Amino acid sequence: MDQNKHSEHHHVTGYGVYILVWLGLIALTSITVTVAGIDFGMVALAVAMTIAAIKSALVINIFMHIKFDQPIFKVFLLVSGFTLIVIFVLTFFDFTYR
Amino acid sequence: MANGTVAVSEKTFYEESTNKYSGILSWLLTTDHKRIGLLYLYTIGGFFLVGVVLGLLMRLELIAPGETIVDAQTYNSLFTLHGVIMIFLFIVPGLPAIFGNFFLPIQLGTNDVAFPRLNLLSWYVYIIGAVLVLISLVLPGGPIDTGWTFYIPYSVRTSTNVSLAIFAAFVLGFSSILTGLNFITTVHRMRAPGMGFFRMPLFIWSLYATAWIQVIATPVIGITILLVILERTFGVGIFDPALGGDPILYQHMFWIYSHPAVYIMILPAMGVVSEILPTFARRTIFGYKAIAYSSLAIAFVGYLVWAHHMFTSGISDTARWIFSLLTFIVALPSGVKVFNWVATLYKGSIDPKPPLLWVLSFIFLFSIGGLTGLVVGSLATDIHLHDTYFVVAHFHYVMFGGTGTIFIAGLYYWFPKMFGRMYNIKWANIAAALYFIAFNMLYFPKFILGYMGMPRRYFDYLPEFTTLQEISTVGSWLMAITIIIIVTNLIHAGLKGKKASANPWGGVTLEWQTTSPPPLHNFNRHVEVNHEPYDFSQLKELEYDSK
């Protein structure tokens, strides 16, 4: 009975979705490489970081199954992600105005 | 707090093992959180004593101007090793690994942590890290001499064994992360029936907040250390300006971990204080939720202030005033705790046993440490005081006066439960009084020396500093005597002390509702929680004889 209960919560993702996400990740990587060749100045970093964040979100949600898991894990991830953003922003108060 | 009466245990966890082995193997392969806590106690306690000896040697060198017992290079290694051992091997793992391991599952009313094998692995990883530190001392090149902060560019250019020593810190970080993961999972998954988050003892709250810092902040120092090793080995220009790197970036990355690490060190101590005070004031803690939330607030705000270590390093003016402003915010949750502790004592039925005396010392010493933190957190005053003895005095008041004092308070509080024996109360009281005098003799002169301009990390000084340096050195001898008294008293008690009852202090949290020492699975009954954590109305139901 416990096993049945467990399987009710178990989400199965189709191969199609995985392949689609994989292609998406490759496309985003190509964009990162292309953008790196163009001189955007300070914006280049922001663009690269944004693309990296989207890729992370895809991997974490789909490949690592967080999207289908209990909300508490999302909270844990958001706390960690938020801390990272705060650290980046505070560090740039030094680098930007030095 | 729990239903049913405490049954007399047949066997304690000393007599029953989680594995089939006996003797030393039953300890080295144990997955029992209590035994692992004790393994940590013996190893961490050993390294603490090594750190103390190094500190005493430094103080002896400083008894007079000029070279006294060691040369400048040896002195550089002494203060580096004193820092590395005290920070990475004693104070960061100290309270969570020893008391956290032993008491977190018991206070939650469960039989072990969520991942017992991972718990044992954490201890082995700690030991590997410690052995690497020791190996770095004897290999050609000599002991590391950079200071415990390993600042670039010196740490890239010195020929001492920097790579191995910092790799040891990297390995120790893993131990810290694994313990943190274990505690977070245990708190979420393994609380006894009836124990909601707001029925958890405050020590658990502090360990929970600490565990989050361990998990989120420690990887940053790991990455930083690997980058320094890369730079030393392959000459990659990340931090060294001669190679096109940015040395201030190193300081940012170092302190992004190391400032939150200060809260890894102090938060569990604050948790122990919140356990001891209600027990010896015989009343519930004042402001339970405020203390619980302030632990989380300190853990979070601790991430926002790291660059106050870097005011004179050349960071931008904008960053300097922002970080100075943010630093003052940490004082708020810390102040919430101190006021709630003092309010807990108000109109309590005070029982001045040794653990309480140490906590009272803590409140005094930690307040001095905290308030002088505001002096160096202020941008203008820090320019004058940076890298002077004032900073040395400040962090010793916070780290040793705070966490170190509570390490001993925790030992005195939980010793009867851990070992089932009672120490000599009279000698414990004498040690508490001596400690308070020795501590202030040893460290208070450093505030004045720092204000007068004595720089830190110098093995020599101007003649006008002699008197204060001498007072400090004599204080270090008194401190050594105090530590000898404490250790002797506890070892004697462990071997020959009187048998301790299940509840010698009249505590009401779950660890006082099982035998001393506890059985292998912590409780000989089903635990269900139906009281607030510090509800002393249940004391008459528990086995407590106030005589």
Side-chain angles (χ1 to χ4, degrees), chain B residues 155-466:
Chain B
S155 61
V156 174
R157 297 182 189 168
T158 174
S159 60
T160 54
N161 295 322
V162 172
S163 295
L164 189 59
I166 60 174
F167 185 68
F170 176 82
V171 172
L172 289 166
F174 268 98
S175 173
S176 195
I177 293 170
L178 295 180
T179 303
L181 277 174
N182 222 337
F183 285 0
I184 290 173
T185 316
T186 310
V187 167
H188 277 276
R189 297 284 188 186
M190 296 183 71
R191 300 190 309 277
M195 180 170 284
F197 261 71
F198 290 110
R199 279 187 176 167
M200 293 196 309
L202 287 163
F203 181 50
I204 306 291
W205 268 100
S206 70
L207 286 173
Y208 181 70
T210 306
W212 272 106
I213 312 178
Q214 287 175 308
V215 170
I216 296 182
T218 315
V220 182
I221 191 77
I223 294 162
T224 313
I225 284 171
L226 287 183
L227 291 176
V228 174
I229 294 175
L230 267 179
E231 185 141 345
R232 274 183 69 89
T233 316
F234 301 108
V236 183
I238 302 161
F239 301 128
D240 187 351
L243 300 165
D246 183 347
I248 297 178
L249 178 63
Y250 171 81
Q251 294 191 24
H252 274 297
M253 293 182 73
F254 179 82
W255 287 112
I256 284 171
Y257 162 74
S258 295
H259 194 80
V262 170
Y263 300 105
I264 296 180
M265 304 173 209
I266 198 67
L267 272 173
M270 291 169 157
V272 177
V273 171
S274 308
E275 292 300 308
I276 293 176
L277 277 176
T279 301
F280 295 95
R282 291 287 184 281
R283 54 159 294 185
T284 189
I285 191 102
F286 188 89
Y288 171 89
K289 280 195 179 175
I291 295 183
Y293 283 132
S294 67
S295 290
L296 296 181
I298 289 176
F300 176 67
V301 180
Y303 282 100
L304 313 180
V305 301
W306 76 84
H308 66 214
H309 297 270
M310 303 162 54
F311 285 156
T312 61
S313 70
I315 56 171
S316 77
D317 280 346
T318 313
R320 295 205 296 179
W321 72 256
I322 286 174
F323 276 102
S324 185
L325 180 72
L326 288 169
T327 299
F328 281 79
I329 296 174
V330 188
L332 298 177
S334 307
V336 165
K337 282 188 192 292
V338 174
F339 286 123
N340 280 310
W341 292 330
V342 177
T344 302
L345 291 168
Y346 180 64
K347 288 192 176 175
S349 173
I350 307 280
D351 185 11
K353 292 274 168 35
L356 183 72
L357 297 181
W358 285 83
V359 165
L360 297 180
S361 268
F362 161 87
I363 294 177
F364 187 85
L365 299 174
F366 179 73
S367 296
I368 293 182
L371 291 172
T372 51
L374 294 180
V375 178
V376 282
S378 304
L379 192 48
T381 42
D382 185 65
I383 304 297
H384 177 67
L385 295 169
H386 184 83
D387 263 348
T388 69
Y389 266 35
F390 192 92
V391 178
V392 179
H394 156 68
F395 71 70
H396 277 92
Y397 266 85
V398 176
M399 299 287 87
F400 191 14
T403 314
T405 307
I406 291 306
F407 177 73
I408 300 165
L411 263 181
Y412 276 133
Y413 183 54
W414 280 314
F415 187 91
K417 181 57 63 185
M418 295 164 91
F419 295 93
R421 290 177 187 274
M422 184 54 89
Y423 49 83
N424 184 311
I425 300 279
K426 196 176 117 194
W427 276 107
N429 287 339
I430 291 170
L434 275 179
Y435 176 83
F436 190 74
I437 298 165
F439 190 95
N440 287 299
M441 256 180 95
L442 173 52
Y443 296 114
F444 201 83
K446 290 183 203 281
F447 280 125
I448 306 164
L449 282 166
Y451 188 75
M452 288 164 73
M454 171 78 207
R456 66 192 286 198
R457 293 174 171 163
Y458 276 42
F459 94 126
D460 193 7
Y461 50 84
L462 297 173
E464 60 250 44
F465 297 141
T466 309

Side-chain angles (χ1 to χ4, degrees), chain B residues 474-490:
Chain B
V474 174
S476 75
W477 298 339
L478 197 54
M479 180 60 80
I481 293 169
T482 311
I483 292 171
I484 290 169
I485 293 174
I486 294 167
V487 174
T488 313
N489 190 5
L490 291 179

Side-chain angles (χ1 to χ4, degrees), chain A residues 25-37 47-49 51-52 55:
Chain A
L25 288 172
I26 290 176
L28 286 166
T29 308
S30 317
I31 295 172
T32 310
V33 175
T34 317
V35 168
V47 173
M49 295 297 281
I51 297 172
K55 284 163 72 181

